[in-house]
Amino acid sequence: MNNKVQNNRAWLLVLPMLVLVAFSAIIPLMTVVNYSVQDVLGPNASFFTGTEWFRTMLNDPALHAAFGRQVAFSLIILAIQVPLGIGIALLMPKKGWQASAVLILITLPLLIPWNVVGSIWQIFTRNDIGLMGWSLSELGLDYNLTRNAGDAWFTIILMDVWHWTPLVAMLCYSGLRSIPEAYYQAARIDRASKWAVFRYIQLPKLTNVLVIAVLLRFMHSFMIYAEPFVLTGGGPGSSTTFLSQSLTTMAIGQQDLGPSAAFSIIYFLVILLVSWVFYTTIMHMQKDKNSQGGA
Amino acid sequence: MAYQIENTQQGEKYNTIFSKVPAAERRKRNSRSRLRKRILLSTYIVLLMLPIYWLLNMSLQTNSEILGSMTLWPQNLTFDNYIGIFTDSSWYMGYVNSILYVVMNMIITMLVALPAAYAFSRYKFIGDKHLFFWLLTNLMAPPAVFLLPYFQLYYSVGLFDTHIAVALAHCLFNIPLAIWILEGFMSSVPKEIDETAYIDGYSFPKFFVKIFIPMISSGIGVVLFFLFMFSWVELLLARTLTSTDAQPIGMIMTRTSTASGIDWGTLAAAGMLTIIPGILVVYFVRNHIAKGFALGRT
């Protein structure tokens, strides 16, 4: 909206939110920063180490590998899920009970707790009692999660596509629903092809919801923890160990407070940087189009 | 509805005037493309349902049958797994706990997000853009980063292992999300509505509750769905902040793996039951979702 009123008393409306978010975001973050520059030896014994932990972390080859895997994973699933989600949204019925039924069925995977998703796929891919694992074995394929890194990757990507494509589809669906019928009529008068309708009517309308979808998907895939942890435990070897898991192993398993705090901050900054670049690019694109920026 | 029918008739009229293809041929093409759409969509949904079907299938079998051989459907149907969950308080309390903190989180988030989103959508104030982006950054904070500080923070204020602790922790990502979506919906309501209400003598709170909230009800529906979803499925924080009294169901399910192997039947039944509350929520907001998340973001 371009005609907002300047009114600093609006802060009063934001205040309760600010207090809550501060409690759940700022205080913990300060704690993390504190740890990252100290060596904690006991409850009351710690000394200042400065940037030493950060240096250690940035030079850790295991982390480099985890980071590379994480980036690859996020890019792969975005490349699969976004087009697939748009495609499914285009197929979905427009109204009536069928629309409701399809919507409910499609959102099912989104409503399952994340570690249960891991369990489901753990069962589903077992060679002896799981439908998918069994079918693949019957077809004579050598499919083994715990032995082949390739199979583990394939399964995790498949699982994520299964789990999250519905979110993209749902957002796109609601975006498509907001297009007035008149646009389609106009296209029909111009004898526009199906592709032209998609390219010049549907896709521009979808940009805004796609921003939300891509941002959410990027963030969640970059923080993925429970599903691979349950399914493969990060194995075989460390081929499916992503950043969150390395971090939790360090912080809880080994009690390395300093390094893991430093790692947390680096991790957070990376996500922030990518999202910020993405966000500002989109905002500028919207400004260029002279449309009112939604978010 | 009448408007819709009129529309399609009009579309047909345009077609008759502007299209080179004869009407009968066009109808045939239309029905063929519709059939193709149906088949593609059905295929996707069937594939989507397969893992869930497998879970259902296992939840209706005894453990010996599950591990015994590969069966596509239960050979001798049993509801023991479900009965076991419903008769054991340590199991069904897990669902109660999860639902409790999710509902608390929804209420808290809505109470603070509605006014804040209104402020963002209607006023310019010092630092508003920065504040908005800072909010979004919280959405990007990996829960894994906050595990330890959360544990210490809630422990020191005496909230550890309470429902409210999890509800507050989930505010970290739910409040920003709610404000982000609500702001878009609110911006699509013309400002003149607010002004008219003030002229008519409404006070701000009265206007907000009586007029404004009903106007963005579909937005609120969509937001509630998202809040429910992200709070219901998040386990990393919920697991860290609880130990016995407020354990979420996802955590209790890990008890099924014991030294003697995994109790697959109970695990599958518990998993099936975790889907049900979500189905109810989707059912209630389905029309709002379709009405347009993209409202105001055009």
Side-chain angles (χ1 to χ4, degrees), chain A residues 112-180:
Chain A
I112 306 170
W114 295 345
N115 63 345
V116 183
V117 171
S119 307
I120 292 178
W121 281 81
Q122 196 187 0
I123 301 166
F124 194 60
T125 52
R126 273 184 57 160
N127 291 338
D128 52 349
I129 56 167
L131 187 60
M132 181 178 136
W134 178 81
S135 313
L136 288 173
S137 310
E138 287 295 297
L139 291 170
L141 293 169
D142 176 33
Y143 172 81
N144 191 322
L145 262 188
T146 47
R147 212 178 44 232
N148 297 337
D151 289 350
W153 263 87
F154 168 76
T155 314
I156 285 187
I157 285 168
L158 186 67
M159 173 170 74
D160 204 81
V161 167
W162 174 83
H163 187 180
W164 285 111
T165 307
L167 179 76
V168 183
M170 200 180 83
L171 290 173
C172 291
Y173 175 72
S174 55
L176 286 174
R177 287 290 69 75
S178 70
I179 302 176

Side-chain angles (χ1 to χ4, degrees), chain B residues 223-240:
Chain B
V223 171
L224 284 177
F225 166 74
F226 273 92
L227 296 184
F228 171 87
M229 185 180 109
F230 285 123
S231 185
W232 182 255
V233 298
E234 205 285 333
L235 279 165
L236 206 56
L237 289 174
R239 190 181 70 183
T240 313

Side-chain angles (χ1 to χ4, degrees), chain B residues 127-194:
Chain B
D128 53 357
K129 292 218 167 43
H130 303 284
L131 188 63
F132 200 81
F133 185 73
W134 172 76
L135 261 184
L136 288 185
T137 61
N138 286 313
L139 203 54
M140 302 159 197
V145 169
F146 285 149
L147 286 187
L148 205 72
Y150 265 23
F151 179 79
Q152 292 177 325
L153 177 71
Y154 285 99
Y155 209 89
S156 60
V157 293
L159 283 177
F160 180 73
D161 201 21
T162 55
H163 300 104
I164 196 81
V166 184
L168 284 174
H170 284 179
C171 283
L172 171 73
F173 45 82
N174 268 350
I175 289 181
L177 190 73
I179 291 179
W180 190 19
I181 300 172
L182 282 173
E183 194 269 340
F185 274 98
M186 288 181 180
S187 296
S188 69
V189 176
K191 266 191 86 84
E192 286 71 22
I193 301 232
D194 311 22

Side-chain angles (χ1 to χ4, degrees), chain A residues 47-115:
Chain A
F47 58 89
F48 188 74
T49 54
T51 56
E52 188 195 329
W53 296 133
F54 289 91
R55 270 201 296 275
T56 324
M57 282 296 110
L58 288 172
N59 296 327
D60 185 347
L63 277 194
H64 290 184
F67 182 75
R69 277 194 292 268
Q70 185 72 69
V71 171
F73 175 76
S74 289
L75 288 179
I76 292 172
I77 61 142
L78 276 175
I80 298 174
Q81 287 174 12
V82 172
L84 190 63
I86 296 175
I88 290 157
L90 288 170
L91 294 178
M92 278 163 81
K94 289 186 178 57
K95 46 185 178 291
W97 65 269
Q98 292 162 317
S100 304
V102 169
L103 207 60
I104 290 174
L105 282 177
I106 276 190
T107 47
L108 279 188
L110 294 173
L111 304 163
I112 306 170
W114 295 345
N115 63 345

Side-chain angles (χ1 to χ4, degrees), chain A residues 247-270:
Chain A
L247 179 61
T248 356
T249 320
M250 233 191 313
I252 293 169
Q254 304 160 4
Q255 294 286 341
D256 289 342
L257 284 188
S260 60
F263 178 20
S264 300
I265 290 173
I266 296 166
Y267 186 15
F268 193 18
L269 287 178
V270 168

Side-chain angles (χ1 to χ4, degrees), chain B residues 14 28 54 60 64 73 85 88 107-108 112 170 252 293:
Chain B
Y14 288 129
K28 207 154 74 181
W54 207 241
L60 297 171
S64 56
W73 54 87
I85 289 174
D88 180 352
I107 294 168
I108 296 171
V112 302
H170 284 179
I252 290 177
F293 183 94

